[in-house]
Amino acid sequence: MKLLQRIKYPVLLLIAMMITGGMAAAQQSTDVSTIPWLAAANKGDAESQYIMGNAYASGMPALGIRKDPKQAFQWYMKAAKQKHANAQYEVAASFILGDGVSKNLNAARIWLKRAADNGHPDAGEILAGFPAPTAAPAKPKVPPKPAGTTRRVVAPPVGDSGYEVAGIRVDPMSMIDAVVNVQIFGPYWPWWLGGTALGLITVSFWLAVKTTLGVSSSFDRIVSWREDRDMAKAAAVMQETPTGVLESAMMAATMEQFGDDIPDDILLDEGGAATMAAPISSSSVRIPWPAHVTFLLATAVGGFLSAFASGSFDVQMTMGSTYERFFGNGILMWAVLLVGGFLIGFGTRMGGGCTSGHGLSGCSRLQPGSLLGTASFFGTAIAVSLAMEMFL
Amino acid sequence: MSTKAGNSKYHLYFGLFGILMGFTIARIGFGDFKEVHNLFTLADFRILLTFALAVVVAMIGFAVLARGKSLPKKKIHPGTAIGGVLFGTGWAITGACPSIALVQLGVGYIPAIATGVGIFAGAYIYKHVHARFFRWDPGSCEV
C-alpha cells in the first residue's frame, strides 16, 4: 500500500504512543476501574465499599454501573458499619431523603451522630438543627440536608487504601477492558491522547496527499466548483497544446494587455508561461473538488462513529443544555447558528484559514499569518464567550 | 490527475482522513458545545492542552519529515486579523469551526445543519467580496 508507505513514520509513532499511553492508561484504569474496588469492597475494605456506594449513587456509565440508590445504600451501609465517617453520613442522608431505603429520621439521627463522632465535618451541624429526639416518631419540618451538596460525588479512588488489595491482582482482560471502555470509548479523551492523535493526523495528511490539512479550504473549493471545472478544462487544453504555441500565444496576450510594462521576471523566466497558467487557488491545487465533499461527509461519519461507539449517539433538535442556556432551542437558536456559520465561512476565508489550516498546519510551521490568525480567532472566541457568560 | 483512477484515490484518502479526523475531534469533545464553551471561558484547560500538544506533535512531525520540502506559506495580510475576529465570534456563538460543524452533525446535533449552511454561504459570499473589493493574496498559493 502506497498510503501506508507514505505515512509509516506517523503510524509507527502512533503505535508507540498507544503502547506507552495505553500502559499508562491501564495503570490509571486499574485505579479507576470498578473491578479492583469491587474485589477490595467484597473483601471488606471500607473505603472501597464507600466508593462502590458513590458509583451506584451517581451511576458510572463508562464502567457499566447504572444509577441504583438501593445498591448505593447497601454499599454505604457496609462501609458505615465499619465506622467510615463519610459512609455513615451518606447512610444518614439516605434515611432522611428516603433514597434507596424508606424514610427513617430516628435512624438518620443515629447515623448522623456516629458520623459526627467519627469526625465528619458537616454531620454535627446538621444534627444540631435536627428535631429533638422523641420516643414517638417525630415529624420533621424540613429535610435538613439539601440533596446534592456534598452527596453523590464519586471520589476518584486514586491512591486509596483499596489499591493495595487490587494491586496484587493482575487481570489482563479487565485491564484491556478498562483501556478500551474508559480511555478509548469512554469519556472524552485525555489531552495527551487527543493531542497526539490530532498532531499525527495533521502530519500524515500532508504526507499522504501532499497538501496541508485545512478544512475551510474544503468549503471554499466546494463553493468554487465551477471555477475548478474550468481550470481543469484549461489544464487539459494546456497539456495537449505544444509548449511553443502556447508560450507565444500567451506572450501575445500579455503584450496586448500590458503593453511594454511587462515585468522583466516574466519575460526572463523560462517557466513563466507555466507559472502564469497554473490555477491560482488555495493550498490544494490538484485535488478535484468532489474529494473535498467526500472529506466533509467523512468528517461527519467519523463523528457519528465516535458517538455510536461510546454509546452517546443521540439525535436531537437542540445543541445541548449549555447552548440552550444562551440561545434556547427555537428560532433564535437557528438564527444564531446560521449567522454564526456565515461568520465562520466568511471569516475563515478572509483570514486564510481555520483551526486546522491556521491553528494546526500553520502554527506548527510557525507561519506568521497562522500565528496572527490563530491568536486573533482564539482571542476573539474567548472574549465573546466570556461576554456571553456575563450578559446572556 | 483528472483520470478516474486518480480521482478515486483522492476519494479514498480524503474519506479515510475525514473519518479519522471526525472521530478524533469527537473523542476530544470538540463537538460538544459545553466543552468548547468551557475551553473559551477558561473553565477547563483539557482541550487547550490537547490543541497545544497537537501543534507540538505536528511541529516535530513537519520538522523531521518535511525538511527541505516546500509547503504552503501563510503570510500576514490585511484580512488575517479581521477574518480571525469574525471567525472567533462565529465559533463562540455556534461552538463550531468548519470541521466541528460536521462533527456536531455526526454526533447527532441536527441544528448544526444551519451552521454548515452558514459556512457555505459565508465562503461563497466571501469569494465574490474578495474578487470585487480586496486586493491581497488570500494566501497559500505560493508553494
Side-chain angles (χ1 to χ4, degrees):
Chain A
M1 278 277 285
K2 222 176 181 179
L3 175 66
L4 267 183
Q5 215 165 22
R6 277 191 197 162
I7 61 171
K8 58 179 182 258
Y9 294 112
V11 167
L12 283 177
L13 203 67
L14 185 68
I15 291 169
M17 195 275 304
M18 287 302 275
I19 291 171
T20 49
M23 273 160 66
Q27 194 56 45
Q28 211 182 3
S29 304
T30 319
D31 292 343
V32 178
S33 102
T34 181
I35 299 120
W37 309 334
L38 188 59
N42 278 332
K43 281 184 186 167
D45 179 57
E47 179 66 23
S48 299
Q49 289 168 342
Y50 171 64
I51 291 162
M52 287 303 294
N54 279 336
Y56 276 111
S58 53
M60 289 184 79
L63 300 176
I65 294 183
R66 289 224 180 92
K67 193 174 168 178
D68 186 347
K70 277 187 185 167
Q71 286 269 13
F73 176 76
Q74 280 167 15
W75 281 113
Y76 282 142
M77 196 56 160
K78 281 184 188 175
K81 282 180 179 163
Q82 299 194 60
K83 303 194 168 143
H84 192 289
N86 286 335
Q88 290 173 332
Y89 182 76
E90 296 294 350
V91 165
S94 299
F95 273 125
I96 293 167
L97 300 167
D99 201 5
V101 66
S102 48
K103 275 191 189 185
N104 186 337
L105 289 172
N106 280 331
R109 186 178 13 257
I110 292 165
W111 284 109
L112 269 179
K113 177 82 169 57
R114 288 178 187 168
D117 289 347
N118 279 326
H120 192 282
D122 300 333
E125 202 181 310
I126 291 168
L127 195 62
F130 226 64
T134 44
K139 293 264 191 291
K141 276 118 202 159
V142 209
K145 187 182 173 297
T149 45
T150 59
R151 189 167 153 77
R152 310 305 190 220
V153 176
V154 179
V158 181
D160 274 328
S161 53
Y163 179 66
E164 280 92 13
V165 186
I168 303 160
R169 215 175 67 124
V170 178
D171 183 350
M173 281 319 286
S174 72
M175 263 164 74
I176 291 171
D177 190 58
V179 170
V180 171
N181 283 325
V182 181
Q183 293 295 339
I184 309 294
F185 295 117
Y188 294 134
W189 276 354
W191 63 273
W192 54 265
L193 186 55
T196 314
L198 209 54
L200 289 177
I201 287 173
T202 309
V203 179
S204 308
F205 187 85
W206 176 75
L207 287 171
V209 296
K210 298 293 168 203
T211 62
T212 47
L213 183 67
V215 182
S216 72
S217 23
S218 288
F219 278 90
D220 181 48
R221 290 297 302 280
I222 293 168
V223 298
S224 310
W225 65 274
R226 212 176 273 125
E227 287 87 332
D228 213 71
R229 187 191 55 189
D230 295 346
M231 296 244 185
K233 272 186 194 161
V237 171
M238 291 265 298
Q239 266 190 337
E240 284 162 14
T241 320
T243 326
V245 176
L246 200 70
E247 265 179 14
S248 47
M250 289 195 67
M251 192 53 74
T254 315
M255 298 285 261
E256 196 181 324
Q257 182 86 28
F258 294 104
D260 292 332
D261 298 337
I262 304 171
D264 284 347
D265 54 337
I266 293 183
L267 285 171
L268 295 176
D269 187 2
E270 284 285 304
T275 318
M276 283 161 62
I280 293 167
S281 173
S282 52
S283 54
S284 35
V285 172
R286 297 174 301 119
I287 318 291
W289 68 270
H292 290 283
V293 178
T294 307
F295 184 61
L296 295 186
L297 291 177
T299 310
V301 170
F304 164 75
L305 288 178
S306 160
F308 187 75
S310 64
S312 62
F313 180 70
D314 182 18
V315 175
Q316 43 194 328
M317 294 306 283
T318 73
M319 292 299 287
S321 56
T322 311
Y323 200 80
E324 282 181 54
R325 186 152 63 85
F326 296 113
F327 303 114
N329 56 12
I331 191 79
L332 177 66
M333 172 192 75
W334 291 93
V336 169
L337 288 177
L338 202 60
V339 171
F342 184 87
L343 289 175
I344 295 167
F346 198 93
T348 47
R349 291 328 299 156
M350 189 178 197
C354 63
T355 330
S356 46
H358 268 334
L360 289 173
S361 310
C363 283
S364 62
R365 291 181 295 114
L366 299 175
Q367 295 295 313
S370 295
L371 294 174
L372 177 64
T374 307
S376 168
F377 65 68
F378 248 106
T380 310
I382 288 171
V384 173
S385 292
L386 289 173
M388 276 161 61
E389 199 63 57
M390 269 199 243
F391 301 115
L392 288 180
Chain B
M1 288 301 165
S2 54
T3 59
K4 272 234 163 87
N7 276 353
S8 62
K9 190 190 75 178
Y10 279 124
H11 281 295
L12 177 72
Y13 284 13
F14 272 67
L16 197 69
F17 276 100
I19 288 175
L20 271 178
M21 208 171 77
F23 185 84
T24 305
I25 288 172
R27 293 283 68 226
I28 288 168
F30 243 145
D32 185 339
F33 181 80
K34 192 176 141 207
E35 296 289 320
V36 173
H37 188 70
N38 282 347
L39 159 71
F40 288 143
T41 50
L42 308 178
D44 183 1
F45 289 101
R46 185 181 60 85
I47 291 187
L48 200 62
L49 269 174
T50 304
F51 196 78
L53 180 66
V55 170
V56 171
V57 169
M59 192 180 285
I60 295 168
F62 279 126
V64 173
L65 299 170
R67 182 184 292 262
K69 306 271 170 57
S70 67
L71 271 78
K73 301 261 191 298
K74 297 266 192 185
K75 285 185 179 165
I76 293 177
H77 56 69
T80 307
I82 303 166
V85 167
L86 296 178
F87 169 37
T89 309
W91 197 356
I93 64 175
T94 62
C97 75
S99 54
I100 292 176
L102 293 146
V103 173
Q104 286 176 335
L105 186 61
V107 303
Y109 294 114
I110 300 299
I113 290 172
T115 318
V117 169
I119 297 175
F120 273 117
Y124 184 77
I125 301 284
Y126 178 74
K127 191 174 65 127
H128 292 281
V129 169
H130 182 89
R132 175 75 181 79
F133 296 108
F134 300 144
R135 284 278 144 234
W136 63 76
D137 173 4
S140 63
C141 65
E142 298 171 41
V143 177

